[in-house]
Amino acid sequence: MDKTDLDGQHAMAGHITINILGPFEVLGTGGEKLAIRSRRSRALLACLAMETGESWTRSRLATLLWDKRSEQQGRSSLRQELVQLRKDFGLTSPGEWGQDPFVCLPGQIRTDVELFRSAISGDDGLQAASIWRGDLLQGTEMTEGPFADWLALSRSRLRVAAGKSFAAAMRMLDDGGDALSFEDMALKLVALDPQNEEAHRCLMRSAASRHDLAEVIERYRIYVANGGRKTGSVPSPGMKRLLDETIAAASRKGISSQSGFSTHWIAQINCQHRVAAAPQPVRLLPIETATALAVVPFVDLSPGAVSKTALADGLTEETTTALARIPGVFVTARQSTMVYKNAKIDARTIASDLGVRYLVEGSIEVRGKSVRVNARLIDGRSGLHIWANNYDEQFRDFFAVRNRIVLAVASQLQPALMMADIDRALDAGPNNLDAWTRLQRANAQVLFNRSAQGLFGAIVELKQALAIDPDYAMAQALLAAVYTWRAVWSTSTRIGAERALALQYAALARKTDPRNSFVLVNCADAAIYGAGDIDLALELLNEAVERSPYDPQGLALLANANRVAGGNPADSLRMIGRAIRISPRDPRSHRWFHYAGWCHWKLGELDKMEGAARNAIELYSDAPAQWVELTCALGLQGRNVEAKAAAKVLRKLSPAFTPDAFFEIAKRFYGKRFAGPVKADYRTLCSTLQRAM
């Protein structure tokens, strides 16, 4: 019986249901949701649900929930909350809420805590797991005071009880239950306790029974990255033995993560839509040489009619950028954290996914001419809050809020930093908030979509931004990059005109704000692909990386320019590896793998070139350049059948593509360097493409 069935039973029985395990919700007798807007009311209901009978006196509740007021004031506030709750629930008799001096829930109310405890006492772990939706009052956070202590203790006790129950249910299912239910229970236990070796070991055995070697290795690696740090221990001998036996069995059967490549894979991977994907989460070891943090996307709480999602995304980016400029702070790129937008994932899991110690999260709410921003700094290992605050400002002072958040977070992480250094790390931001919002919207479009048609929406947004603020250098620079991307693979007769516009906007942006790293990186993109001016691109990218050493796109683009300029491809691969480490879940990763593939080509590592091209295509299958790379990698290895299959997809994506056109693109790309060995190399590539097509 799932959670929906339980709620339905309560409704039919005439009960009101309060769910506090996970996000707070109240369901009326007919299953309809009842709004309880007061945070104090929610906290009060949680107290009454967790401790029943005569556990709560009015004095105790008043002291717990209104600790900064006198007892008389606290009891008065409690009385007001109870009056409001009686109205909200339609249970208006004071006696239904307990006889003075005690307070309790009316008999007509049932709670998920009650059902959860009943399932545990009956040794029904499956039922307990179906009820459990998350921590007590998930999403309601208080960092100090008696109630914060009570909430933390209550959560801990519930998690311990849930862990024991889920583990018992997992063992029972392991002895003869349904395989799917067994895996689900093990996954629930891992979500509850990411450091539980037994659950990881069970998932390894389940994957091994399906001959899924990759999953076995991944599960083992995840535990090593997470579980072993809990006590400083290492995986048990049994866990190591299971890994070794699975690998040995796979070797006997000839299973390999690289073997079995066929035209079937090409047909399968080409089923993606025209949207770039983020790499799957990989548990990363935390950065030890710097304070490592990530800014989780701010949540928009504005009323629907005045939704400010773009504003929330913009605040995320601005806070990320400002924090990254503080010496000694490693900040995961915004593009990786954006995949967690609106996701109900535990902070500890996100921190582990990104390999950081701290998370900054919060929300934004716009009402009329005012804006409220809530911000929190979270310890990624414990999930506990280190610092939290809220800011109420006039809308026109929005950027001051961002500065205050950055200052507060920095002061928590590095008290020794001089305030003057922090001030210098902050930008004033554009004067016109509307132009800035449009830039964020354009950023969102180019992050996931690189087709010529799909980029048109970004052009519209950026031109609107420049209509508002003609000197907005960041909008000018991104517009230059967008026009460049449209011109590279477009079949339009406007290619020359769009390339000219790209160079025009790049020149304007560099003149307006020549030290802005965002401007420098996007203008370098235009210099490489629009003008074939590698020297200018290297100059711009070296300055951008010096100013923003944790900008992954700047690093990756510098790696590509370095390779084209005749630099050591191995150095470029190291830079690309650093970019991926900074932003491990970045939707732009397909470009970085594409760059890496050509580095492997220069080194003569054709198998690795193929692997990089496959990685790029798996993340974004609609980029013609990546299919060119894969076709070349396969053809150069003499795998002609597969090369022809890849070329077929390339022709579908870009019907006008020809090897001669590719040669001309390379000629423009390399500029004055397109001579001698470089020209000969591309003649070989074109011959390879010709055979495949």
Side-chain angles (χ1 to χ4, degrees):
M1 182 181 298
D2 64 20
K3 186 69 178 58
T4 305
D5 295 331
L6 291 170
D7 292 340
Q9 277 193 346
H10 294 158
M12 288 186 289
H15 289 123
I16 295 172
T17 304
I18 300 177
N19 294 321
I20 57 174
L21 295 178
F24 180 91
E25 66 177 4
V26 176
L27 303 176
T29 55
E32 74 281 7
K33 288 191 176 182
L34 303 180
I36 306 296
R37 295 184 175 85
S38 167
R39 189 170 66 167
R40 297 290 182 184
S41 288
R42 296 182 179 196
L44 172 58
L45 291 171
C47 291
L48 299 179
M50 283 294 295
E51 299 181 32
T52 58
E54 295 185 348
S55 299
W56 293 105
T57 64
R58 292 176 181 268
S59 294
R60 184 188 173 201
L61 283 169
T63 302
L64 185 74
L65 298 173
W66 290 276
D67 60 296
K68 294 183 179 179
R69 303 180 185 180
S70 67
E71 181 176 344
Q72 182 178 359
Q73 290 173 327
R75 287 174 66 97
S76 175
S77 297
L78 173 62
R79 186 163 52 252
Q80 293 173 15
E81 293 291 344
L82 288 171
V83 168
Q84 185 60 50
L85 285 174
R86 289 200 295 271
K87 292 179 181 177
D88 291 337
F89 288 123
L91 302 173
T92 56
S93 172
E96 293 176 306
W97 295 81
Q99 298 296 323
D100 194 38
F102 301 105
V103 182
C104 64
L105 288 176
Q108 299 94 319
I109 293 178
R110 291 289 181 267
T111 70
D112 57 353
V113 171
E114 179 184 356
L115 293 171
F116 177 74
R117 286 172 169 166
S118 176
I120 287 181
S121 64
D123 294 327
D124 192 346
L126 289 174
Q127 181 79 328
S130 72
I131 297 167
W132 180 269
R133 297 179 305 129
D135 274 331
L136 177 66
L137 287 183
Q138 183 175 303
T140 300
E141 306 298 344
M142 299 181 70
T143 58
E144 59 182 18
F147 180 74
D149 295 337
W150 178 89
L151 182 60
L153 180 60
S154 298
R155 284 177 172 174
S156 177
R157 289 173 175 171
L158 285 169
R159 290 179 70 88
V160 169
K164 291 179 179 177
S165 177
F166 296 176
M170 182 181 67
R171 296 184 196 109
M172 180 189 69
L173 291 167
D174 192 20
D175 288 338
D178 175 68
L180 185 58
S181 297
F182 165 69
E183 283 199 45
D184 286 344
M185 187 57 69
L187 288 169
K188 282 183 178 290
L189 187 53
V190 167
L192 185 70
D193 181 7
Q195 301 156 330
N196 187 294
E197 180 179 326
E198 182 183 14
H200 284 288
R201 193 168 60 249
C202 287
L203 289 170
M204 285 176 64
R205 284 196 288 106
S206 182
S209 69
R210 300 192 304 271
H211 308 293
D212 190 343
L213 174 60
E215 176 62 21
V216 173
I217 294 173
E218 175 69 3
R219 183 59 55 187
Y220 182 86
R221 192 185 59 75
I222 288 173
Y223 176 73
V224 170
N226 268 326
R229 292 203 303 270
K230 183 177 182 181
T231 60
S233 62
V234 296
S236 67
M239 198 172 189
K240 291 181 178 178
R241 186 166 55 252
L242 175 59
L243 176 66
D244 293 339
E245 290 173 352
T246 307
I247 294 174
S251 299
R252 288 193 296 272
K253 293 182 179 181
I255 297 174
S256 168
S257 60
Q258 292 299 320
S259 66
F261 182 89
S262 66
T263 57
H264 173 71
W265 177 85
I266 293 176
Q268 185 181 47
I269 198 62
N270 193 41
C271 294
Q272 282 193 25
H273 299 292
R274 291 183 172 87
V275 175
Q280 289 300 308
V282 176
R283 297 293 195 267
L284 296 170
L285 295 176
I287 300 295
E288 300 295 345
T289 57
T291 299
L293 63 86
V295 182
V296 180
F298 279 70
V299 178
D300 175 28
L301 299 181
S302 306
V306 291
S307 177
K308 297 293 181 181
T309 300
L311 200 62
D313 291 348
L315 178 60
T316 304
E317 167 144 356
E318 290 286 318
T319 305
T320 300
T321 301
L323 285 170
R325 293 177 179 173
I326 299 173
V329 177
F330 173 100
V331 183
T332 297
R334 177 187 65 88
Q335 287 76 10
S336 272
T337 62
M338 286 301 285
V339 300
Y340 297 100
K341 185 175 179 179
N342 299 323
K344 304 296 183 183
I345 301 176
D346 185 78
R348 293 171 297 179
T349 300
I350 297 176
S352 183
D353 283 351
L354 300 175
V356 298
R357 175 63 190 274
Y358 303 101
L359 293 178
V360 178
E361 66 172 22
S363 62
I364 178 172
E365 182 176 5
V366 177
R367 291 185 178 275
K369 296 182 179 180
S370 64
V371 58
R372 162 169 281 202
V373 175
N374 295 292
R376 296 174 289 274
L377 177 64
I378 298 174
D379 188 316
R381 294 180 183 175
S382 67
L384 298 178
H385 288 191
I386 298 173
W387 162 86
N389 207 343
N390 58 69
Y391 306 93
D392 292 292
E393 296 284 353
Q394 291 298 302
F395 199 68
R396 63 176 180 272
D397 297 326
F398 180 72
F399 288 100
V401 176
R402 178 212 61 186
N403 290 0
R404 290 168 64 188
I405 292 173
V406 175
L407 286 168
V409 171
S411 66
Q412 290 291 326
L413 296 177
Q414 294 183 308
L417 286 176
M418 296 297 293
M419 293 303 293
D421 290 336
I422 298 175
D423 288 338
R424 282 194 294 272
L426 300 174
D427 287 335
N431 294 326
N432 194 305
L433 190 61
D434 287 339
W436 177 75
T437 300
R438 282 168 171 76
L439 176 69
Q440 307 315 320
R441 291 174 181 161
N443 262 327
Q445 296 205 39
V446 301
L447 183 61
F448 294 102
N449 198 324
R450 301 301 292 273
S451 68
Q453 297 79 10
L455 293 171
F456 180 73
I459 291 177
V460 172
E461 293 288 357
L462 291 167
K463 285 191 173 180
Q464 289 177 345
L466 291 173
I468 297 168
D469 186 351
D471 296 324
Y472 197 176
M474 293 174 70
Q476 293 168 341
L478 186 56
L479 193 53
V482 170
Y483 273 126
T484 299
W485 301 330
R486 280 171 56 90
V488 169
W489 290 100
S490 175
T491 58
S492 167
T493 57
R494 286 183 47 81
I495 290 177
E498 292 193 328
R499 187 174 293 118
L501 284 170
L503 300 180
Q504 175 185 336
Y505 278 112
L508 283 173
R510 289 171 53 212
K511 182 178 180 181
T512 305
D513 196 353
R515 297 183 177 181
N516 185 305
S517 60
F518 180 92
V519 169
L520 294 170
V521 169
N522 282 283
C523 288
D525 226 344
I528 294 175
Y529 294 101
D533 193 340
I534 300 299
D535 291 327
L536 174 59
L538 285 170
E539 177 187 337
L540 298 176
L541 289 168
N542 276 306
E543 183 175 355
V545 170
E546 182 179 353
R547 291 184 176 279
S548 295
Y550 293 124
D551 176 9
Q553 179 63 12
L555 281 168
L557 201 56
L558 177 58
N560 195 40
N562 176 71
R563 189 263 307 175
V564 174
N568 187 346
D571 291 339
S572 292
L573 286 170
R574 281 189 285 272
M575 278 190 277
I576 293 170
R578 187 179 173 205
I580 293 172
R581 178 60 189 87
I582 291 173
S583 191
R585 299 205 62 200
D586 200 310
R588 297 171 298 183
S589 297
H590 67 96
R591 292 185 70 185
W592 307 343
F593 283 118
H594 176 68
Y595 300 156
W598 290 116
C599 291
H600 289 301
W601 166 65
K602 293 296 290 184
L603 292 169
E605 300 169 342
L606 298 181
D607 57 336
K608 293 182 179 180
M609 176 188 182
E610 174 196 339
R614 289 177 62 179
N615 286 335
I617 291 170
E618 285 174 349
L619 295 176
Y620 188 33
S621 65
D622 288 334
Q626 294 166 184
W627 287 98
V628 170
E629 185 176 63
L630 180 62
T631 303
C632 290
L634 294 169
L636 290 170
Q637 294 179 78
R639 292 159 60 182
N640 297 325
V641 174
E642 295 160 79
K644 288 179 181 295
K648 184 178 179 180
V649 179
L650 172 59
R651 283 196 301 270
K652 183 178 179 181
L653 290 173
S654 184
F657 176 84
T658 65
D660 289 340
F662 174 68
F663 189 82
E664 290 303 314
I665 291 173
K667 183 177 180 180
R668 185 170 60 249
F669 180 61
Y670 278 88
K672 63 184 180 183
R673 289 180 171 83
F674 197 70
V678 173
K679 191 173 183 178
D681 283 343
Y682 273 86
R683 293 246 182 242
T684 301
L685 291 176
C686 286
S687 297
T688 303
L689 289 168
Q690 191 68 55
R691 288 194 300 272
M693 301 185 77

